[in-house]
Amino acid sequence: MQKYSIFNLVKNAFSNHENWDLAWKDPTPKEEYDVVIIGGGGHGLATAYYLAKEHNITNVAIIEKGWIGGGNVGRNTTIIRSNYMHDENGLFSEFGMDLWRKMSQDLNYNVMFSPRGIINLAHSDAQMNAYARRGNSMRLNGIDAVLLNREQVKEIIPMADFSENVRFPIFGGLMQPSAGTARHDAVAWGYARQADSMGVDIIQNCEVIGFDVSAGKIKGIRTSRGNIKAKKVGICVAGSTNILAEKLNMTLPIETHLLQACVSEPIKPVLDNVVTFGAGHFYVSQSDKGEMVMGGDLDGYNSYAQRGNLPTLQHVLTEGIAMMPFLSKLKMLRTWGGIMDMSMDGSPIIDKTHIEGLYLNCGWCYGGFKATPASGWTFAHTIAQDRVHELNAGYSLNRFSTGHLIDEKGLGTKTWIS
Amino acid sequence: MLYINCPHCGMRSQNEFSYGGDASVKRPELNKEVSDQEWDNFVYNRKSLRGKHLELWQHISGCRQWIKVERDTATHEIFRTFKADEEVA
């Protein structure tokens, strides 16, 4: 594989950049693979990469219905953080933060990881107490957390509404300075390029239409491009999880919902951090191009349409304007939607299934992007070793029957219903 | 914008409604032994169909009644609406 470097960039400039190698090949599916990963999104590509890199398993195919990186890894708001209170989520995400910090070097691909810090705003004394508790839990798990008072928040984001007579005054906030953003497409492409170079077949425009299971053991998959035998199969398809589960006669604690995001016209640098509104669901950061990247609540009803409706967008942006009134002056540049695999406790599932050789990675809700490296790493481990790693032991499929829910929000089941 | 034909009030915008999930889910009957699996299916497990989906909505800013809506989860098209206690054929 051609290394990306300043020297190669200069060298290729002399031939008008027409002689670069393809970043990944377009192979025809082989008859059989050791491992087939269904889903060429961030998590699937990362899984294939770590299978090859950490476990030396390279007879691997990624089967993607559309094109790689065309789902949620290309539709998110690029936020990376590990500000969780529960041990399972905190330790898993912080392991991921370490992979994020090394990712550009590891993949020889600039993923533009920018640890600019995230601030969750608090709008009451009670919320400050809750954040103090969460911050302390984070620090016990070795995650950086700083509790900011109103004046400290004002120093960092003076453009927020600090007037006295607002409905949700800013009391302070909880900051994770090491959190940040990354270039989402680059993450998918970087993993794809490295996985491909180690022998993984990336097979696009290939839809899975069925599974071959006999005597409780996976034998292969049936696709729109023919049958493929496989010793092990990993499902990594986010919002389409239920569609594949139905083909396996499985019913999962997952509902597929619609989430929208939007960007404004580009403006000069105004916001250095990621900021979330504490009295609702709204978050904002500024991209390197200058656009304000914003998102918030789900549309609220089951949906497989990758596009949303105006009422939710209006609701979300009303919160945004309450938090930072200057946003109302901006023109909207783009809005889009993606479909989320909402798990019943708001935490993911990375586990084996009742079918031998079949593994499941789903339930990322609206927090899948930041988990890309840790999810790929632990899923690769689970598949290669046929047992869960301690980092994803809590993300079991049967926790809903045993009662070991990881209910980060403390809301009980269906945490997304408002 | 979704427009939902409330069987009590007529056609209204989605802003007046809140969503209540899959309407085909049945609570296990009382006074009967309920297995863990049945309880799981009731509380957590969902088919989350792609295509026609029968679901509960509440006309929260209108008559406040719960209703059933038959809607396509891929296109958002709404086919039929029913009163909560109406049997859906």
Side-chain angles (χ1 to χ4, degrees):
Chain A
M1 186 186 63
Q2 211 169 9
K3 195 173 155 61
Y4 290 164
S5 67
I6 184 75
F7 304 108
N8 269 328
L9 191 67
V10 172
K11 195 178 114 195
N12 278 280
F14 289 108
S15 54
N16 292 324
H17 295 290
E18 283 167 1
N19 296 321
W20 285 102
D21 289 350
L22 285 179
W24 51 85
K25 297 176 281 292
D26 183 22
T28 329
K30 286 193 266 184
E31 205 167 293
E32 183 168 4
Y33 290 95
D34 291 339
V35 180
V36 165
I37 304 293
I38 305 172
H43 291 215
L45 293 162
T47 304
Y49 169 70
Y50 291 113
L51 275 173
K53 184 182 174 228
E54 303 286 340
H55 306 279
N56 211 17
I57 300 173
T58 55
N59 187 21
V60 175
I62 292 170
I63 307 293
E64 166 56 46
K65 179 173 68 175
W67 62 93
I68 57 166
N72 294 343
V73 72
R75 292 163 189 266
N76 59 77
T77 45
T78 79
I79 298 165
I80 293 159
R81 59 186 176 85
S82 60
N83 52 357
Y84 287 101
M85 189 170 79
H86 285 13
D87 289 349
E88 293 90 344
N89 291 332
L91 296 170
F92 178 89
S93 305
E94 188 57 16
F95 175 79
M97 290 303 292
D98 206 38
L99 295 175
W100 278 112
R101 288 187 270 267
K102 300 174 192 151
M103 190 181 289
S104 289
Q105 284 72 30
D106 191 26
L107 297 180
N108 178 228
Y109 206 107
N110 186 4
V111 299
M112 296 162 73
F113 176 56
S114 160
R116 57 183 68 185
I118 187 169
I119 302 171
N120 303 128
L121 293 179
H123 306 276
S124 67
D125 279 329
Q127 204 167 13
M128 283 298 280
N129 289 341
Y131 280 174
R133 180 178 177 229
R134 173 139 67 101
N136 285 333
S137 303
M138 287 165 64
R139 293 175 73 122
L140 286 172
N141 280 331
I143 304 164
D144 57 328
V146 186
L147 193 65
L148 306 171
N149 63 29
R150 181 179 160 91
E151 291 311 310
Q152 289 166 312
V153 173
K154 196 171 179 178
E155 227 163 86
I156 303 173
I157 48 165
M159 77 297 277
D161 193 347
F162 284 94
S163 41
E164 300 286 340
N165 57 349
V166 289
R167 175 68 183 84
F168 298 109
I170 296 170
F171 275 59
L174 181 66
M175 184 172 190
Q176 185 191 4
S178 68
T181 59
R183 173 89 182 111
H184 52 185
D185 298 319
V187 175
W189 298 334
Y191 275 122
R193 175 168 161 269
Q194 284 293 344
D196 174 89
S197 78
M198 289 188 284
V200 172
D201 279 359
I202 297 173
I203 298 161
Q204 304 182 74
N205 297 310
C206 180
E207 186 174 358
V208 172
I209 50 182
F211 294 85
D212 284 322
V213 180
S214 77
K217 202 172 173 326
I218 194 87
K219 298 290 178 193
I221 57 170
R222 277 170 263 152
T223 78
S224 56
R225 292 173 67 176
N227 294 353
I228 300 170
K229 283 187 221 153
K231 295 190 182 77
K232 292 177 176 179
V233 174
I235 297 178
C236 224
V237 294
S240 302
T241 303
N242 284 300
I243 298 174
L244 289 187
E246 195 192 351
K247 298 179 198 301
L248 290 155
N249 290 323
M250 288 168 79
T251 319
L252 297 173
I254 303 272
E255 273 185 26
T256 295
H257 281 256
L258 174 61
L259 180 67
Q260 298 187 75
C262 58
V263 295
S264 75
E265 58 184 330
I267 53 172
K268 288 191 174 177
V270 58
L271 180 62
D272 299 328
N273 318 90
V274 182
V275 181
T276 74
F277 183 56
H281 199 170
F282 172 82
Y283 42 85
V284 60
S285 62
Q286 190 169 20
S287 76
D288 293 346
K289 287 183 281 185
E291 302 152 335
M292 305 305 288
V293 185
M294 300 171 281
D297 272 322
L298 296 170
D299 269 39
Y301 41 83
N302 290 48
S303 175
Y304 286 90
Q306 287 175 310
R307 62 181 187 286
N309 274 319
L310 209 51
T312 305
L313 212 51
Q314 193 176 24
H315 168 73
V316 166
L317 292 172
T318 305
E319 293 175 21
I321 291 165
M323 183 174 91
M324 292 184 180
F326 84 96
L327 293 173
S328 70
K329 308 277 186 202
L330 303 182
K331 292 193 182 74
M332 184 81 79
L333 192 67
R334 285 195 307 280
T335 77
W336 65 92
I339 53 173
M340 310 293 126
D341 37 338
M342 303 303 298
S343 72
M344 292 289 158
D345 61 355
S347 299
I349 296 161
I350 308 177
D351 203 358
K352 299 162 67 169
T353 64
H354 68 285
I355 298 167
E356 201 186 325
L358 183 76
Y359 306 86
L360 191 61
N361 181 335
C362 62
W364 292 99
C365 302
Y366 17 55
F369 176 68
K370 66 173 174 295
T372 305
S375 163
W377 195 94
T378 52
F379 198 39
H381 181 280
T382 305
I383 294 170
Q385 312 275 330
D386 193 39
R387 63 188 162 84
V388 295
H389 189 271
E390 61 178 19
L391 284 170
N392 64 315
Y395 294 157
S396 64
L397 180 55
N398 74 355
R399 69 176 185 268
F400 299 92
S401 350
T402 61
H404 294 86
L405 302 190
I406 308 170
D407 184 3
E408 187 73 31
K409 283 192 182 170
L411 294 175
T413 174
K414 300 179 195 68
T415 57
W416 65 88
I417 285 187
S418 50
Chain B
M1 177 81 81
L2 302 181
Y3 287 95
I4 300 172
N5 189 12
C6 172
H8 307 282
C9 312
M11 196 65 91
R12 300 296 174 90
S13 88
Q14 78 182 80
N15 290 331
E16 296 187 10
F17 294 85
S18 76
Y19 184 66
D22 190 338
S24 69
V25 176
K26 290 262 188 308
R27 189 189 173 94
E29 274 180 52
L30 291 171
N31 306 320
K32 202 188 117 209
E33 192 67 30
V34 181
S35 71
D36 285 356
Q37 187 59 53
E38 280 175 282
W39 194 247
D40 275 1
N41 287 341
F42 168 63
V43 182
Y44 299 118
N45 294 333
R46 293 291 178 272
K47 288 190 176 133
S48 194
L49 299 174
R50 186 179 195 278
K52 262 189 194 175
H53 189 238
L54 190 68
E55 54 203 21
L56 292 167
W57 289 76
Q58 189 185 12
H59 196 182
I60 190 104
S61 306
C63 61
R64 302 190 67 83
Q65 295 292 314
W66 283 93
I67 61 168
K68 289 183 204 164
V69 176
E70 189 184 54
R71 188 180 59 95
D72 193 310
T73 57
T75 64
H76 295 169
E77 184 181 357
I78 292 171
F79 305 103
R80 296 182 294 172
T81 56
F82 308 88
K83 291 177 183 168
D85 56 359
E86 237 176 299
E87 280 301 316
V88 180

